[in-house]
């Protein structure tokens, strides 16, 4: 039998192997360390090397894009040596980086299809004729007169707090002042203009506003320069309400007791005000210079932000007090910007399809394409919208907080110390993992849980019903306090000094969550007579979407089994929607139109949901025909 | 010489007197006590009797109306016995009562020439279809839908605080609610309607509002039932700001220091809130049921009420920040009514011609007559408006607070213990007086001062320059600490145990005040080429006007010397104007029109004012031709 020489760079070690050997075998023979956490099954992609010279045969190109193959990438565990070869072993970090991008949805940077100068906030500078004994016109009429003459600004309205500043500003500025005016708002398209501030002297150099997203978990603030249209600072932090409940339901319950509502409103305001202050400090401005905000968030978050009791959201038949709050001045809620600044809360359409979704739909530009699009925002609730430029249908499924780490023994949020990806060795059933922040692990976050479930299923650690096989020849499966469990990280490896495990109960919770989400997709598609395979693009919004490994999510049957290149991750679509609505009247109007156009499907009123949910309570699904790529993978196993 | 018998009833005493004797002589002879505080000069009217039978000759009918003479009234000191007569001596109280009305301006009760149903506040009750899983419309859209359907109420606006109440009201009322709506306001005549409140269940039985007058000294609240249009309670009290300055200038100075503005605003709000609470209690309602107020007051008071810095009002060239504040919700100023209630401040036209005058002009109906009318409101400032239905010209003269009792050693406000009328005996120079509340005197109020000045002048206690004659044969004139003085009440008669006096300095202050007022009238008339004698009616507003004895005020040259029957007192025209503006869109519009139509004459910019002022610094005036009735009186002396 022929032998070939395999030379490994950059270590420059060479070995001889028999024809038909794998690069992985050669590496082991040469003492070149390659990671193979999946047990050499070609699933994890961590043993990728670059074949610089010579002939090889790749058994599989899983994990490798055509461009990768073009560049010589091959998986050591799946690549047969068919001649003398030179193999370059990239630094493990580089592989990790590539994999991290791996089968996640591609990040899409969307264009801004609107006219920046379309937004209605203005600054005008005017110099007035000073009053005299002959011209006794009062300050406000004098200012109005000049604004009409110079800028054709008719019958502007000023609130009392602005009028209180007027006299001093005029005299301090020696009759030159700058006014901040909102020409119109969505609820009064034909004006009249509203005076927001009056400043002594001329101050036309800047005009600030902010886009805000109030997530149940994370709050985000984008500070926007309305003159250039650019985002000048981005700040995010946990919603201070978390201490009073992790999900919207517990917050609603908290809000309904004593002065819980005021407390929750105060807590989110504290968080937002801190973020606004930090953003303002970064640009060396005062928060008083922020004259407008647009706010997106789910309906409960918007209610709590505005101080509107959210009780009815959680009680049958799940009704919001108001889907589209009117614009109001910041002082009414204690938001730490200019007290007269306009607060424009974007419209939601239902208790569980809020402004985060309408703004997400607008910012994802799904109505701008003719393609059948599925927009998904998965958090505690999974919200999903199906449609194209002519129709939109939305629903929300109460996935529960399992994928946010709650209800799972070692679950945690995606912060430092969280296991975010797991590989299970298909032969030894050993686990390998990646931890956020490269620390010792403290728990497992949502993307880690999805990854773990997929690996356990694909390697046969558990069956399609999610039952762990206790009879496997490994100490990692065992009977624990909460029934069967699988040890992801041994006590000696963890930050806590305890095993990190996943239990049958955890798996059950996660199965219910993923089933709810997939059932939502199914009911949406079925309600309009379509199949999920018809979906031409999936646009994923929300912070969680950023970390989901699409492949693994498909393997557990959480996302529909359609080609990976149809999945796109858009980042925080909610704050982005708030941002575009801030910059453009047209886009603001589009949010309203989207809210009006969107049909809401209340799943608890839909009698097919329960069937779809039950059918999805398997890995990946009772109907494997819906998951051809997973079926193929399992067959190959 | 013939003798006649004079019989006095009800004592039934009879005496014989010579022909030509006076009834007063006969009474003395008969031992019948008659009051003659003026010394038998026919000025005070206190010796009035009723001649029941017999012939007499009245030397004068001063103090007596034609109806009085018809009824037999005669002044004992001025009536010659020309036959046997029977004279009835009425109880002194009855005379006092008659005199109290005396030569004051007649009280006029004005008609209400407007349609009550014209005001824009409404209550609507609606019952909504409850939501369901099939109809997921949010609460606010559901309410809007029904309001549009049942009442054709389109695109109503609701503020955040109202929306905060909506969900609970709907559920508590089992989907029946009552909404309080303002259909439009003067600054948005074509709507949209504004939701002020939402109440669980049906509550159409009442609709409350209030008219408010904020005087520098006194605040007045009228609680109004908008369904009947009636005033249901009237409350008044001193403006709590008095403790921080008696006049507007000292208040403006106080407001400009530290947080003086907030303090003054808080003080007037305390007073108003107390009055509102008392009025509400009287009608057994909650102040939360008061859904609108109209507010009149001088420009400084309106600025302080609204929290607008008033500084520029007192600084050349005397400019207000705003003559017409926009309507605003009560919560913005802390007014103790429904926090979302509309506060509508009526428009002023200048720093010293405020909303008290525009509302006074409208409520006095001076633009409803074709007669040349002089509208006067005398307080710390004298504001005056001349015109008819086609034109109006206004000015304000800074009279100072002398007639309100400040700047006068024994001056005081018109409360219990204040001397409100004085008579000086023309022969003995003794003083007699009437005290408010029939108590021992503590000081002299404005009307008392006018009366005192007139008496001292007419009896020759002082000359036309206001100098007290120290050489008179009475101990009542003397040299005091502050120069020459006249003792009005002896220490033994007073509540304080000290003499109550008027000094040269006091008189000087009062002369300057009355001269400023008269000069104002003169400049107004002259500016339009008219003479004060052309004035066909004088309408006096303000609380002070109620107590001025027109005759005495003419005698000192404060009011123009025209027939008494042309003077009419209207009471508090400011609060009355606020009241009519509350009841009627048309009248509210008229206040705006009056403000627009009224020409303001700034006296400090008028070079004739100083001449007119100097000419008026005499009693009654340098040009006696302008005061024919006073000239006649002095000639008769």
């Amino acid at each position: 039998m022929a032998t070939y020489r395999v030379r490994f760079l950059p270590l420059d070690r060479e070995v001889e192997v028999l024809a038909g050997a794998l690069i992985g075998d050669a590496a082991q023979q040469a003492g070149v360390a390659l990671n193979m956490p999946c047990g050499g099954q070609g699933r994890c992609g961590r043993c990728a090397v670059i074949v610089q010279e010579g002939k090889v045969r790749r058994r599989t190109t899983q994990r490798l894009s055509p461009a990768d193959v073009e560049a010589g990438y091959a998986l050591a565990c799946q690549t047969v040596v068919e001649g003398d070869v030179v193999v370059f072993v990239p630094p493990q970090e580089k592989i990790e980086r590539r994999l991290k991008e791996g089968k996640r949805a591609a990040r899409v940077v969307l264009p801004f299809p609107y006219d920046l100068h379309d937004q209605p906030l203005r600054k005008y500078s005017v110099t007035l004729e000073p009053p005299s004994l002959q011209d006794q016109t009062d300050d406000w009429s004098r200012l109005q007169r000049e604004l009409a003459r110079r800028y054709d600004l008719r019958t502007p309205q000023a609130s009392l707090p602005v009028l209180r500043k007027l006299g001093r500003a005029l005299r301090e500025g020696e009759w030159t002042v700058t006014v901040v005016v909102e020409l119109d708002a969505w609820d009064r398209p034909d004006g009249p203009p509203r005076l927001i501030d009056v400043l002594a002297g001329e101050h036309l150099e800047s005009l600030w506003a902010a886009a805000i997203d109030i997530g149940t978990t994370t709050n985000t603030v984008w500070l926007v320069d309305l003159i250039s249209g650019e985002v000048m600072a981005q700040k995010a932090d946990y919603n201070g309400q978390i201490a009073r409940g992790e999900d919207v339901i517990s917050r609603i319950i908290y809000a309904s007791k004593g002065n819980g509502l005021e407390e929750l409103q105060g807590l989110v305001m504290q968080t937002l005000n801190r973020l606004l202050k930090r953003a303002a400090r970064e640009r060396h401005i005062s928060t008083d210079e922020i004259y407008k905000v647009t706010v997106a968030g789910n309906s409960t978050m918007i209610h709590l932000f505005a101080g509107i009791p959210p009780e009815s959201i959680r009680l049958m038949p799940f009704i919001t007090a108001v889907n589209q709050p009117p614009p109001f001045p910041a002082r009414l809620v204690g938001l730490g910007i200019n007290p007269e600044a306009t607060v424009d809360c974007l419209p939601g359409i239902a208790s569980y399809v809020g402004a985060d979704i309408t703004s997400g739909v607008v910012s994802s530009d799904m109505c701008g394409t003719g393609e059948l699009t599925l927009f998904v925002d998965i958090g505690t609730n999974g919200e999903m919208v199906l449609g194209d430029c002519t129709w939109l249908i939305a629903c929300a499924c109460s996935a529960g907080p399992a994928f946010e780490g709650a209800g799972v023994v070692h679950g945690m949020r995606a912060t430092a110390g969280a296991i975010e990806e797991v590989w299970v060795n298909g032969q030894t059933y050993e686990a390998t993992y990646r931890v956020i922040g490269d620390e010792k692990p403290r728990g497992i976050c949502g993307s880690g849980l999805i990854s773990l479930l997929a690996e356990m299923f694909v390697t046969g650690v558990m069956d399609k019903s999610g039952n762990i096989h206790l009879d496997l020849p490994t100490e990692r499966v065992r009977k624990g306090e909460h029934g069967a469990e699988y040890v992801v990280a041994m006590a000696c490896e963890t930050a806590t000094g305890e095993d990190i495990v996943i239990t049958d109960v955890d798996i059950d919770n996660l199965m219910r969550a993923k089933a709810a989400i997939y059932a939502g997709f199914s009911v949406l598609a079925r309600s309009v007579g379509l199949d999920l395979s018809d979906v031409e693009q999936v646009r994923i919004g929300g912070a969680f979407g950023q970390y989901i490994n699409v492949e693994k999510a498909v393997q557990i049957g959480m996302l529909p089994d359609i080609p990976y290149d149809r999945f796109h991750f858009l980042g925080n679509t909610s704050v982005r929607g708030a941002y575009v609505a801030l910059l453009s009247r047209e886009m603001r109007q589009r949010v309203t139109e989207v809210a009006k156009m969107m049909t809401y499907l209340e799943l608890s009123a839909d009698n097919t949901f329960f069937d779809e949910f039950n059918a999805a309570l398997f890995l990946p699904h009772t109907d494997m025909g819906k998951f051809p790529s997973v079926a193929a993978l399992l067959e190959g196993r």
Side-chain angles (χ1 to χ4, degrees), chain A residues 149-415:
Chain A
R149 203 185 62 80
R150 276 214 43 194
Y151 299 104
D152 198 32
L153 202 70
R154 305 286 163 186
T155 61
Q157 293 192 326
S159 68
L160 214 45
V162 175
L163 291 177
R164 285 169 182 161
K165 299 173 75 174
L166 181 60
R168 285 175 191 172
L170 282 170
R171 285 159 188 85
E172 200 185 306
E174 292 174 345
W175 304 96
T176 294
V177 287
T178 301
V179 294
V180 181
V181 177
E182 190 173 35
L183 296 181
D184 48 63
W186 66 260
D187 69 329
R188 43 175 183 88
D190 302 316
R194 189 175 82 86
L195 222 70
I196 296 177
D197 204 1
V198 55
L199 306 162
E202 193 177 288
H203 302 279
L204 300 176
E205 62 287 353
S206 65
L207 185 57
W208 295 95
I212 291 179
D213 169 46
I214 308 177
T216 310
T217 303
T218 305
N219 295 348
T220 305
V221 166
W222 286 6
L223 181 64
V224 179
D225 171 356
L226 284 183
I227 292 173
S228 71
E230 280 176 68
V231 177
M232 303 303 283
Q234 302 188 346
K235 301 289 167 196
D237 203 349
Y238 286 120
N239 185 333
Q241 296 174 341
I242 288 178
R244 302 292 179 280
E246 297 246 338
D247 54 33
V248 296
I249 299 299
S250 53
R251 304 251 177 103
I252 294 172
I253 293 170
Y254 193 89
S256 66
K257 289 174 185 162
N259 61 349
L261 174 58
E262 292 70 28
E263 201 186 323
L264 290 181
Q265 194 193 22
L267 285 168
V268 71
M269 227 50 80
Q270 273 175 28
T271 303
L272 294 175
N273 292 350
R274 196 169 56 238
L275 295 174
L276 287 161
K277 206 177 269 179
R278 278 163 48 195
R281 201 182 302 132
E282 186 173 311
R283 307 310 307 185
H284 308 290
I285 65 163
S286 150
T287 49
D288 256 8
E289 294 177 61
I290 303 174
Y291 289 116
K292 185 172 180 178
V293 293
T294 42
V295 184
N298 66 54
S299 298
T300 302
M301 288 304 111
I302 295 292
H303 277 61
L304 293 176
F305 169 76
I308 301 170
E311 278 121 61
S312 55
I313 289 179
R314 67 176 263 271
L315 302 173
M316 268 282 279
F318 317 119
I319 304 297
T320 55
V322 53
N323 283 333
Q324 173 59 85
F328 53 84
R331 74 178 132 73
L332 267 191
V333 292
L335 189 66
I337 55 177
N338 188 291
E340 292 308 299
T342 303
V343 177
D344 180 12
C345 295
L346 298 178
I349 68 158
S351 278
Y352 298 106
V353 175
D356 48 349
I357 303 308
T358 53
S359 69
V361 165
V362 168
S363 91
S364 78
D365 200 28
M366 74 182 275
C367 11
T369 81
E371 298 188 340
L372 179 63
T373 305
L374 180 64
F375 174 79
V376 191
D377 189 335
I378 299 174
T380 307
N381 280 300
E383 290 115 351
M384 44 208 73
V385 184
L386 186 67
D388 61 18
C389 46
T390 57
W391 58 274
L392 292 167
I393 183 160
C395 74
C397 50
S398 155
F403 284 112
E404 294 186 315
V408 172
V409 176
H410 287 97
M412 66 179 285
R413 284 198 298 269
T415 52

Side-chain angles (χ1 to χ4, degrees), chain A residues 1 24 43 48 127 199 390 431 459 464 547:
Chain A
M1 201 179 225
R43 283 187 291 107
T127 300
L199 306 162
T390 57
T459 57
K464 65 179 296 176
Y547 304 104

Side-chain angles (χ1 to χ4, degrees), chain A residues 532-563:
Chain A
L532 282 173
S533 61
D534 298 330
V535 169
E536 289 166 287
Q537 52 178 357
V538 181
R539 305 210 140 188
I540 305 176
F544 188 50
Q546 187 162 14
Y547 304 104
I548 291 180
N549 182 314
V550 171
E551 183 187 25
K552 306 282 182 179
V554 169
Q555 283 172 11
I556 66 166
M558 184 178 189
L559 291 179
D561 191 0
I562 54 176

Side-chain angles (χ1 to χ4, degrees), chain A residues 72-111:
Chain A
Y73 274 99
L75 300 182
C77 71
Q78 298 290 325
T79 301
V80 180
V81 178
E82 298 196 330
D84 293 346
V85 293
V86 178
V87 173
F88 181 81
V89 180
Q92 190 60 35
E93 300 79 48
K94 192 176 170 188
I95 300 293
E96 291 282 346
R97 211 159 42 236
R98 279 183 61 251
L99 288 171
K100 214 162 173 174
E101 304 309 319
K103 282 296 168 57
R104 292 203 183 135
R107 171 110 198 191
V108 175
V109 177
L110 291 162

Side-chain angles (χ1 to χ4, degrees), chain A residues 515-533:
Chain A
I517 292 166
Y518 189 80
F521 295 143
S522 301
V523 172
L524 267 198
R526 181 188 288 242
S527 75
V528 289
L530 291 171
D531 192 89
L532 282 173
S533 61

